[in-house]
Amino acid sequence: MELPSWGCSAACPSHYEQVKGLVSVRVHGSRRLTSWSISFPDGNFSFPPSGDSGKLKTRKKSYLSLYMVASACGNSELRIRRAVNDAKLSVLPSRNAKLLKKRKNYVGLCGVGLNCSNGGFQVKKMVKDGLSPVQVIEILRSFDDPIHALSLFKSLAQQPRIVHTTETCNFMLEVLKDNGRTKEMTVVFDFMQKQVIKRDLTTYITLFKGVGVFGGIKEAPLALDLMSEAGFVLNDFSYNGLIHMLLQSGCLQEAMKIYRRMISETVRPSMKTYSALMVASGKRKDIETVMGLLKEMEAVGLKPNVYTYTICIRVLGRAGRIHEAYGILKKMEGEGCNPDVVTYTVLMDALCSTQRYHEAKELFYQMRRNNQNADAVTYTTLMDKFGDFGDVDAVKELWSIMEEDGYIADVVSYTILINALCKVNRVDEALSNLYTMQKKGISPNVRTYNALIGGLLATNRADVAQQVFDKMNVEGPKPTAHTYVLFIDHHGKAGKTDEALEFFVHMKNKGIIPNIVAFNVCLHALAECGRLEVANDIFRNLRHDGLSPDAITYNIMIKCYSMAGRIDEAVKLLSEMKKNECHPDVITVNFLIDVLYKSNRSDEAWKMFDQLKSMNLSPTTVTYNTLLAGLSREGEVDKAMVLFRTMETHGCIPNVITYNTLLDCLCKNGRVDLALNMIAEMSEKDCRPDILTYNTIIHGLVKEGRPADAFWLFNQMSKVFIPDFITLCSLLPGIIRNGQVKDALWITTQFSLKNEVDRSSWIYLMQGILSVAGIGKSVQFSKSLVATGIVKDDSLLSPLVVYLCKSNKVADAYNLFEDFKKHGMSLTLGTYNPLISGLLEANLSSLAFMLLKEMRKIGCTPDVCTYNLLLDALAKAGKADQLLELLREIHSRGCIANVTTYNIVISGLVKSNRLNQAIDLYYNLVSRDFSPSPCTYGPLLDGLSKAGKVDEATDLFEEMLEYGIKPNCAIYNILMNGFGKIGDVESVCEFFDRMQREGILPDVKSYTILVDSLCIVGKVDDALKYFELLKQSGLEPDLVSYNLIITGLGASGRLLEALSLFKEMQIRGVSPDLYTYNSLILNLGKVGMVKEAGTLYEELQLKGHEPNVFTYNALIRGYSMAGNADDAYEVYKRMMVGGCIPNTGTTTQACSWIKWKAIQTNTAIQEHEAEEEAAEEEEAEAVVVEGGDAKMDMAHRVDFKPQDPELEVILGFCGDAQQSSALANGYW
């Protein structure tokens, strides 16, 4: 096929030869081209085809570069377009070549003939198809002169088949704006308004720029002022559109300014504008504006419709102003505007949100009575709300009505039902409904599974939840981030942070990018468990995952640092928030103020409060409540009152929490009268006191000893509120102490008739009464209450028994127990266990075992705690056979023994010198399902160590490590003590270093054992070094620590250092005991410092210590070694006079001259006796031998026989090292 030759003409023939650019050929038709040609004055150009479309260069390039584009479409018309210089012209097809030859004054532009005479353009000819907006814009773009373009714009507007659109108008405005033609812009804008052409965001932005405003749509108020000066006049359509655009951009404040401008210019906003403004204001909870707009709408003559009223009801309902919402509903009905299903649904939703479910249900049935059928949204909304409330019956009721109305339950309905069942822990029923929906062909979605997983985790069925999770991974739908968050949150709250972290990592490995919620939940779990370092790592890596921490993230981290006591770092996070452009909210600041106050950094808390203004934050009522609570804790009543009075001046209205905090401060600091006056002030300020208000003041009155006033206030409160359990706990202790037992009984009786009081509450109440009223009146009240039959168990008896047993009045506790049994109450472990414990501590084990028999008889099954108490008593008494017999009873009665049980038995066997039997029991246990603890190994290791079997102890220790049991400090102390006994000080030091390497901090006993071990082998310098390390570690040496180091120094002859430590211990508040004095006296005597030893002997008696045989032996030895026989003998006499019996060490190694002194004493006694006999015979006066009276008196006192081998002057223990070791053994 060969195309016909077409002609063309240019507006300016002189430019023809300069024609260069693009010539486009569009072929309409389905026939395939073989060739085509185009006719120009210089000749025709023919081109080979290139498929249905292609771009080809011309073969002749003397005048222009020609490109051809061919494509198949439409009819058989061909259009050619080319560019002449910088003005784009189109060469038109013409079926009548003569027409173009005759009309040389016209140029063809996109099918439009334009008259270009006199420098202007006017449309003269148009093809029947018209022009698209793109074509019009292309024409306008071809003009350099904006006035010519505007002329053409106007001319085109007059053509019936050409319609200007928002795009063409915006382009024209842009051209005029770029050329500073503001006046002409008013023409185009006015044209848009008259032709009702939509003004979009681009329109207004261009207009704003035209008058010099470049801040975007938010600058509309300013821009309109300037536009008005430039001659722009907006009609109602423009104003309404601009307001809508501002609202869509979130600029409510600016939209309201434009609205006010409309009103001032008497331009009436549309109903849609009012509705949009009300919706936007409602989202910001600006109820006053919403209701004001409703009134203004009516004032301008617009009658609110059902949609407008529904907006008001929604806003009021979400604010909890249900009464006003009902008022709007009645107003609708009164004005003949019948509420529709949406109106009813909105109000029912509001009622449910304020916990008024009963009213919501009534409204639902009222709607049905008014012939308004609920739609699917209504049913979904109500079922969801009732489900969240846990009212499964209501959900099922609505479900039935929904099906009666013809709605078929879908996945959403089933998900709501499953979620509701899970809320009330009816998880099995939820699982059943899951299977039901699957049988009906309804596939659960991810929300369904998430609801089910949440229910399973809430009921601690994590294993089943894991199965559901695994099923989702296999069968779908795939778990989402929220699914993982459920597991992370559950494990975090359960303290299983490792499992929580595992799910967090698994989520990332699955390619599910954790959102900030997942990060926050994970961080919260770590914060609650105090794992700061792990939380900090995750927090610092947030940005690597493309996320930025939000205010909640920072709040969690601030809490995490605060819990770890790192307050400074918590405060630094606030600065980091600002630096990272995460503006802290007042909640963050309130938390920090609270943390600082609770950390006794009140000055910094107040500085933080003062910085609120610089952070563009305003204090809230919560801020003031936090500060008031801090002042209350400090007892700063006057400052609290001043702060309270300044609240309202800063726009913060005190709420009931504010008043209660202040009242608590007043009552705790003896200002109860002022607190009473505050109640009246609350009523004046429309702040209704709650029950906590009254309870606080009642408690304050009771505390001040004004039970009568408290009782009066209780009666006043009862007219308004029903007393709660806290009321009872606040009031009863005071009036019972005041002797008003009958009043207390009446109050309790009335309360219990209206409320169900559980066991734990009765126990708590009785504990409070005991702490205030004492045991006597508490018993009187409890007996009276039990006699009424209101309390049928031992919940009142149990705290009384515990109190008496702790007060060492076990006999009274037992008698009270027997007395209460007469009332036929049901006795529980809560009474038996503390009573058995008290009897055992009072060494009344026979009564304790008698109670065990009684428990079996009445059907009160002993638990493992009961048996452990009795086992422990048998173990301490060394009754191994009975111990094992009771263990067998535990097994035979089906009571599951725990680790503590077996640890007690093992310890008892070791104490009874049945070490091998204890070891056999241990190995028998570990061969079964038994998880030993460090307390299991402690007695075994101690037994082996004391038996000198340190190698076996070491092997058992290594075995413990193989079981994964981490040794604690006590285990290491046992091993160190064992090796210290045999003098293996190297092993002692090795264990000491090992425990430190493993991160176990040594305690005082650890250092003391090491010091003692070093002293035993004579390494006193090393012992002294570790003793100093003990003091530097922050630990305080105890009496044993000082005794052992003093003994070690004394034994090595370093008495001055020993005496220095003796003084130091007293300065540190450690009082020396008899062992301290004995050690120093002994070692001072050894080096001949008998005078100092004697001084210490006198001092110890002044300190209230009674010298023992070792004290006297040490003195006798010291005086003997110094050659002071008389002094040694004087000490011996004091020893005998004091009733201290000599031991073998006192006599067997006496010095010969001490023996001689004794013989001389015996001879004198014999001579005196002979003289007395002679005197009697001669009835003469008795002659007292000079110098012999005192010695004779001593001899008469002690029936002394010189041949008795029990006279010894040296100490009565076998060496210094053994004495030290004996002390250590007793200590450990």
Side-chain angles (χ1 to χ4, degrees):
M1 165 184 174
E2 185 172 335
L3 297 179
S5 299
W6 294 356
C8 76
S9 62
C12 302
S14 60
H15 289 169
Y16 180 79
E17 293 182 359
Q18 301 177 17
V19 171
K20 291 185 179 181
L22 180 66
V23 176
S24 298
V25 179
R26 199 162 13 154
V27 179
H28 300 278
S30 59
R31 291 170 293 179
R32 189 173 184 82
L33 302 177
T34 55
S35 65
W36 58 81
S37 63
I38 301 174
S39 176
F40 287 98
D42 292 347
N44 295 336
F45 297 97
S46 298
F47 309 95
S50 179
D52 290 335
S53 69
K55 289 185 178 181
L56 303 171
K57 283 187 176 181
T58 64
R59 295 179 181 176
K60 185 174 181 180
K61 299 182 180 179
S62 58
Y63 293 102
L64 73 163
S65 297
L66 184 63
Y67 292 87
M68 306 295 292
V69 179
S71 62
C73 62
N75 51 36
S76 301
E77 182 179 74
L78 182 68
R79 296 177 182 175
I80 303 173
R81 185 180 67 221
R82 70 183 178 183
V84 178
N85 288 346
D86 56 353
K88 295 184 179 179
L89 305 178
S90 291
V91 180
L92 302 176
S94 176
R95 301 196 183 276
N96 189 344
K98 294 180 181 180
L99 178 63
L100 284 175
K101 291 179 181 179
K102 291 179 180 179
R103 304 177 67 181
K104 293 182 180 180
N105 289 332
Y106 298 96
V107 65
L109 295 177
C110 297
V112 180
L114 299 180
N115 184 349
C116 56
S117 61
N118 300 322
F121 288 88
Q122 192 173 21
V123 178
K124 292 294 183 180
K125 179 70 176 177
M126 187 199 75
V127 296
K128 61 182 179 179
D129 292 339
L131 296 174
S132 69
V134 176
Q135 291 172 318
V136 172
I137 291 171
E138 193 172 354
I139 294 171
L140 295 174
R141 187 179 284 117
S142 66
F143 293 93
D144 288 336
D145 188 343
I147 301 301
H148 287 171
L150 180 60
S151 176
L152 177 60
F153 178 84
K154 293 178 181 178
S155 183
L156 288 172
Q158 297 171 5
Q159 300 303 309
R161 294 187 180 275
I162 298 179
V163 178
H164 279 303
T165 63
T166 302
E167 290 77 12
T168 59
C169 292
N170 284 350
F171 179 80
M172 192 69 249
L173 286 170
E174 185 74 26
V175 170
L176 294 170
K177 183 265 295 181
D178 290 343
N179 288 273
R181 300 285 185 171
T182 306
K183 183 177 180 181
E184 285 74 13
M185 290 177 72
T186 63
V187 175
V188 177
F189 182 69
D190 188 56
F191 169 76
M192 293 181 75
Q193 292 189 119
K194 290 178 180 178
Q195 297 298 319
V196 197
I197 299 172
K198 180 182 178 182
R199 279 77 78 198
D200 62 6
L201 186 61
T202 304
T203 309
Y204 286 104
I205 295 297
T206 305
L207 291 172
F208 294 173
K209 290 180 179 178
V211 295
V213 178
F214 297 91
I217 193 67
K218 192 174 183 180
E219 299 296 328
L222 172 62
L224 285 192
D225 290 338
L226 297 175
M227 287 172 63
S228 179
E229 293 175 5
F232 289 91
V233 179
L234 276 69
N235 61 14
D236 56 347
F237 185 82
S238 298
Y239 271 120
N240 289 329
L242 180 57
I243 288 173
H244 281 278
M245 274 182 276
L246 285 165
L247 292 175
Q248 288 170 1
S249 301
C251 304
L252 174 59
Q253 187 176 358
E254 289 74 15
M256 287 301 298
K257 288 180 180 179
I258 301 303
Y259 163 75
R260 299 298 176 197
R261 185 186 185 99
M262 283 184 75
I263 299 299
S264 66
E265 294 178 1
T266 66
V267 180
R268 190 171 77 169
S270 67
M271 180 71 74
K272 185 178 179 183
T273 300
Y274 274 109
S275 298
L277 287 170
M278 292 166 74
V279 169
S281 300
K283 287 180 179 178
R284 297 196 179 189
K285 300 180 181 179
D286 188 354
I287 302 171
E288 304 307 321
T289 299
V290 173
M291 302 311 294
L293 287 168
L294 180 65
K295 292 179 181 179
E296 291 174 20
M297 179 194 309
E298 294 173 321
V300 298
L302 289 175
K303 186 178 181 180
N305 57 20
V306 65
Y307 178 68
T308 315
Y309 281 123
T310 302
I311 293 170
C312 295
I313 290 173
R314 177 182 284 110
V315 171
L316 290 167
R318 287 179 177 174
R321 295 163 66 168
I322 303 299
H323 181 71
E324 295 173 65
Y326 267 118
I328 296 293
L329 184 67
K330 290 179 180 178
K331 182 178 180 181
M332 289 177 67
E333 295 170 343
E335 294 181 357
C337 181
N338 294 324
D340 60 7
V341 65
V342 177
T343 311
Y344 281 111
T345 302
V346 166
L347 184 52
M348 285 186 285
D349 179 66
L351 288 167
C352 292
S353 298
T354 54
Q355 310 295 312
R356 299 166 74 163
Y357 295 97
H358 181 69
E359 294 178 53
K361 191 182 289 188
E362 286 183 353
L363 187 61
F364 171 75
Y365 286 109
Q366 179 186 329
M367 178 186 73
R368 290 175 63 82
R369 287 193 297 271
N370 292 343
N371 296 321
Q372 279 285 357
N373 292 325
D375 58 11
V377 175
T378 308
Y379 285 113
T380 301
T381 302
L382 284 176
M383 286 194 299
D384 188 45
K385 291 291 183 180
F386 278 99
D388 285 338
F389 180 59
D391 191 348
V392 179
D393 294 334
V395 174
K396 291 184 175 181
E397 180 183 344
L398 289 165
W399 183 292
S400 300
I401 299 172
M402 179 182 71
E403 291 183 331
E404 290 175 6
D405 286 351
Y407 293 101
I408 299 173
D410 56 6
V411 64
V412 176
S413 307
Y414 273 104
T415 301
I416 290 171
L417 178 59
I418 289 171
N419 183 58
L421 290 166
C422 290
K423 290 276 184 184
V424 294
N425 297 330
R426 290 162 63 175
V427 183
D428 291 327
E429 195 174 342
L431 285 167
S432 176
N433 276 278
L434 177 70
Y435 301 142
T436 300
M437 66 183 291
Q438 289 175 323
K439 287 179 181 178
K440 291 183 177 180
I442 303 172
S443 299
N445 58 23
V446 71
R447 291 179 181 273
T448 315
Y449 281 115
N450 285 347
L452 188 58
I453 288 172
L456 289 165
L457 292 174
T459 53
N460 295 317
R461 296 171 66 178
D463 51 344
V464 183
Q466 183 68 47
Q467 293 173 10
V468 175
F469 177 80
D470 295 337
K471 181 180 179 181
M472 291 176 70
N473 275 311
V474 175
E475 300 177 7
K478 296 295 182 183
T480 61
H482 179 65
T483 316
Y484 284 94
V485 166
L486 290 171
F487 281 97
I488 294 169
D489 185 53
H490 169 76
H491 290 306
K493 289 178 179 176
K496 300 177 180 179
T497 50
D498 291 332
E499 287 85 345
L501 281 171
E502 184 180 342
F503 267 94
F504 183 77
V505 173
H506 186 262
M507 172 173 57
K508 296 178 74 174
N509 292 340
K510 282 287 186 179
I512 301 173
I513 300 174
N515 54 22
I516 195 65
V517 175
F519 273 101
N520 288 346
V521 169
C522 190
L523 287 172
H524 183 265
L526 294 167
E528 289 298 317
C529 293
R531 298 183 64 174
L532 174 60
E533 299 306 324
V534 182
N536 197 44
D537 290 341
I538 292 176
F539 174 69
R540 296 302 174 193
N541 289 324
L542 259 175
R543 298 189 185 278
H544 292 295
D545 292 305
L547 294 172
S548 296
D550 59 9
I552 296 175
T553 317
Y554 278 108
N555 286 344
I556 292 170
M557 290 307 299
I558 287 171
K559 180 180 180 181
C560 199
Y561 279 116
S562 301
M563 289 175 62
R566 294 161 64 171
I567 311 300
D568 292 330
E569 292 175 74
V571 174
K572 286 179 182 177
L573 279 179
L574 186 67
S575 301
E576 185 179 319
M577 286 181 74
K578 301 175 189 174
K579 184 179 178 181
N580 292 335
E581 298 183 355
C582 179
H583 301 292
D585 55 18
V586 73
I587 297 174
T588 309
V589 180
N590 287 347
F591 180 79
L592 276 174
I593 290 173
D594 187 47
V595 167
L596 288 167
Y597 235 124
K598 288 178 179 177
S599 303
N600 297 319
R601 297 167 66 169
S602 56
D603 291 340
E604 294 175 68
W606 282 100
K607 286 180 183 178
M608 185 78 66
F609 173 71
D610 294 335
Q611 291 173 7
L612 277 171
K613 188 175 182 180
S614 64
M615 291 186 278
N616 294 321
L617 296 173
S618 298
T620 63
T621 303
V622 175
T623 315
Y624 282 101
N625 290 350
T626 303
L627 292 169
L628 284 171
L631 291 171
S632 176
R633 285 192 293 270
E634 294 177 340
E636 296 284 357
V637 180
D638 295 331
K639 289 183 180 179
M641 288 300 299
V642 171
L643 181 66
F644 172 74
R645 296 303 179 194
T646 59
M647 279 184 68
E648 293 188 62
T649 60
H650 291 88
C652 292
I653 307 300
N655 57 20
V656 69
I657 297 173
T658 315
Y659 278 103
N660 287 344
T661 304
L662 188 60
L663 291 172
D664 184 61
C665 177
L666 294 170
C667 291
K668 284 181 177 177
N669 292 279
R671 306 279 287 275
V672 183
D673 290 328
L674 181 56
L676 286 166
N677 294 333
M678 294 291 288
I679 294 184
E681 181 179 320
M682 290 178 71
S683 302
E684 292 172 3
K685 294 189 176 181
D686 198 26
C687 181
R688 185 185 179 193
D690 61 8
I691 195 165
L692 178 59
T693 312
Y694 286 100
N695 287 344
T696 301
I697 300 179
I698 287 172
H699 181 72
L701 289 167
V702 169
K703 185 179 177 183
E704 277 199 0
R706 297 164 61 180
D709 292 337
F711 192 55
W712 173 84
L713 186 61
F714 168 77
N715 290 326
Q716 297 301 312
M717 181 195 75
S718 300
K719 298 174 183 177
V720 184
F721 296 105
I722 297 174
D724 63 3
F725 187 71
I726 302 299
T727 314
L728 263 67
C729 294
S730 301
L731 179 63
L732 293 187
I735 64 174
I736 290 174
R737 182 178 61 184
N738 197 42
Q740 298 173 254
V741 176
K742 290 184 178 180
D743 291 332
L745 187 62
W746 179 83
I747 292 170
T748 309
T749 304
Q750 294 301 309
F751 180 82
S752 59
L753 291 175
K754 299 176 183 177
N755 302 276
E756 184 176 347
V757 185
D758 58 17
R759 176 184 175 82
S760 60
S761 298
W762 285 123
I763 291 174
Y764 181 81
L765 175 62
M766 184 50 63
Q767 288 171 342
I769 294 171
L770 275 166
S771 64
V772 175
I775 185 64
K777 292 178 180 178
S778 298
V779 169
Q780 181 185 354
F781 169 74
S782 60
K783 283 184 176 180
S784 301
L785 190 58
V786 168
T788 63
I790 292 174
V791 183
K792 300 183 183 303
D793 60 12
D794 60 348
S795 53
L796 296 177
L797 173 63
S798 177
L800 294 172
V801 168
V802 172
Y803 179 88
L804 288 168
C805 289
K806 286 184 177 180
S807 303
N808 296 322
K809 297 179 179 179
V810 182
D812 292 341
Y814 184 78
N815 292 333
L816 185 66
F817 170 77
E818 291 294 326
D819 191 19
F820 267 69
K821 283 199 301 183
K822 297 174 184 177
H823 292 281
M825 65 171 56
S826 59
L827 296 169
T828 66
L829 294 170
T831 300
Y832 275 111
N833 284 349
L835 185 56
I836 288 173
S837 177
L839 290 169
L840 292 171
E841 288 182 11
N843 295 319
L844 299 172
S845 57
S846 58
L847 278 179
F849 279 94
M850 186 180 72
L851 287 180
L852 176 65
K853 294 179 181 178
E854 180 181 303
M855 290 174 69
R856 299 169 187 156
K857 184 178 179 181
I858 68 172
C860 180
T861 306
D863 64 356
V864 68
C865 180
T866 316
Y867 283 113
N868 286 349
L869 288 169
L870 296 166
L871 286 170
D872 187 55
L874 293 171
K876 289 177 179 177
K879 298 179 179 180
D881 293 331
Q882 292 174 262
L883 181 74
L884 294 172
E885 182 182 349
L886 189 58
L887 179 63
R888 286 190 289 271
E889 179 183 322
I890 293 174
H891 295 153
S892 65
R893 290 186 174 273
C895 180
I896 301 175
N898 56 21
V899 177
T900 304
T901 310
Y902 291 113
N903 289 348
I904 291 170
V905 175
I906 289 172
S907 178
L909 291 171
V910 172
K911 288 177 182 177
S912 301
N913 296 320
R914 296 191 182 187
L915 178 60
N916 292 333
Q917 197 170 356
I919 292 173
D920 291 342
L921 175 61
Y922 159 74
Y923 282 111
N924 184 31
L925 289 171
V926 295
S927 65
R928 295 180 288 166
D929 187 17
F930 176 74
S931 299
S933 68
C935 292
T936 311
Y937 291 97
L940 295 171
L941 292 171
D942 190 44
L944 290 168
S945 298
K946 287 179 178 177
K949 300 178 180 180
V950 291
D951 292 333
E952 293 181 45
T954 304
D955 292 340
L956 184 62
F957 174 72
E958 296 300 331
E959 183 179 318
M960 178 183 77
L961 298 179
E962 291 175 5
Y963 272 105
I965 307 298
K966 294 182 179 180
N968 55 25
C969 186
I971 294 294
Y972 277 107
N973 288 347
I974 289 170
L975 290 169
M976 289 165 60
N977 191 44
F979 280 97
K981 281 182 185 178
I982 63 173
D984 188 354
V985 73
E986 291 182 3
S987 296
V988 175
C989 293
E990 182 182 341
F991 278 115
F992 185 83
D993 294 337
R994 179 174 179 176
M995 69 187 293
Q996 290 181 300
R997 288 196 303 270
E998 293 178 2
I1000 301 171
L1001 296 176
D1003 61 7
V1004 175
K1005 291 182 180 180
S1006 310
Y1007 281 102
T1008 304
I1009 292 170
L1010 181 57
V1011 167
D1012 182 43
S1013 301
L1014 290 166
C1015 287
I1016 289 173
V1017 297
K1019 295 185 177 183
V1020 182
D1021 288 332
D1022 291 339
L1024 197 58
K1025 181 187 73 173
Y1026 280 106
F1027 186 78
E1028 291 301 319
L1029 285 176
L1030 164 62
K1031 293 186 286 186
Q1032 294 170 13
S1033 68
L1035 299 170
E1036 288 293 332
D1038 61 7
L1039 177 62
V1040 178
S1041 307
Y1042 274 108
N1043 282 348
L1044 292 176
I1045 188 63
I1046 287 172
T1047 300
L1049 289 167
S1052 61
R1054 298 163 68 168
L1055 270 303
L1056 292 178
E1057 292 173 85
L1059 289 170
S1060 175
L1061 287 177
F1062 178 71
K1063 292 179 181 178
E1064 177 189 297
M1065 69 186 291
Q1066 296 177 80
I1067 293 171
R1068 285 177 173 264
V1070 181
S1071 299
D1073 65 355
L1074 186 59
Y1075 178 86
T1076 320
Y1077 285 104
N1078 287 352
S1079 175
L1080 285 170
I1081 291 169
L1082 171 66
N1083 289 308
L1084 286 168
K1086 282 183 180 180
V1087 297
M1089 298 174 68
V1090 290
K1091 183 178 180 181
E1092 289 80 358
T1095 301
L1096 287 177
Y1097 169 73
E1098 298 297 334
E1099 181 183 314
L1100 74 88
Q1101 294 178 89
L1102 292 173
K1103 292 288 182 69
H1105 298 296
E1106 186 71 28
N1108 61 10
V1109 65
F1110 301 114
T1111 316
Y1112 290 114
N1113 287 351
L1115 278 171
I1116 292 171
R1117 176 175 178 173
Y1119 285 125
S1120 299
M1121 293 178 68
N1124 298 335
D1126 291 337
D1127 291 336
Y1129 187 68
E1130 285 297 325
V1131 171
Y1132 176 76
K1133 285 196 299 180
R1134 291 180 194 173
M1135 174 180 177
M1136 304 308 294
V1137 170
C1140 184
I1141 306 301
N1143 61 11
T1144 55
T1146 315
T1147 57
T1148 55
Q1149 299 183 26
C1151 298
S1152 59
W1153 46 271
I1154 292 294
K1155 291 182 180 180
W1156 176 85
K1157 189 70 176 178
I1159 291 170
Q1160 291 297 316
T1161 301
N1162 191 38
T1163 302
I1165 292 170
Q1166 291 176 359
E1167 291 177 354
H1168 178 69
E1169 289 175 347
E1171 290 177 359
E1172 280 188 341
E1173 290 175 0
E1176 288 175 359
E1177 291 175 357
E1178 298 175 1
E1179 297 181 356
E1181 292 183 358
V1183 178
V1184 181
V1185 180
E1186 183 182 356
D1189 54 347
K1191 298 176 185 178
M1192 179 171 51
D1193 182 63
M1194 177 62 69
H1196 280 305
R1197 285 176 180 268
V1198 297
D1199 190 23
F1200 179 75
K1201 295 181 181 179
Q1203 66 271 22
D1204 195 322
E1206 293 188 0
L1207 180 63
E1208 184 185 11
V1209 184
I1210 63 170
L1211 284 172
F1213 43 78
C1214 305
D1216 304 332
Q1218 291 184 9
Q1219 179 199 16
S1220 177
S1221 180
L1223 172 70
N1225 288 337
Y1227 183 55
W1228 309 127

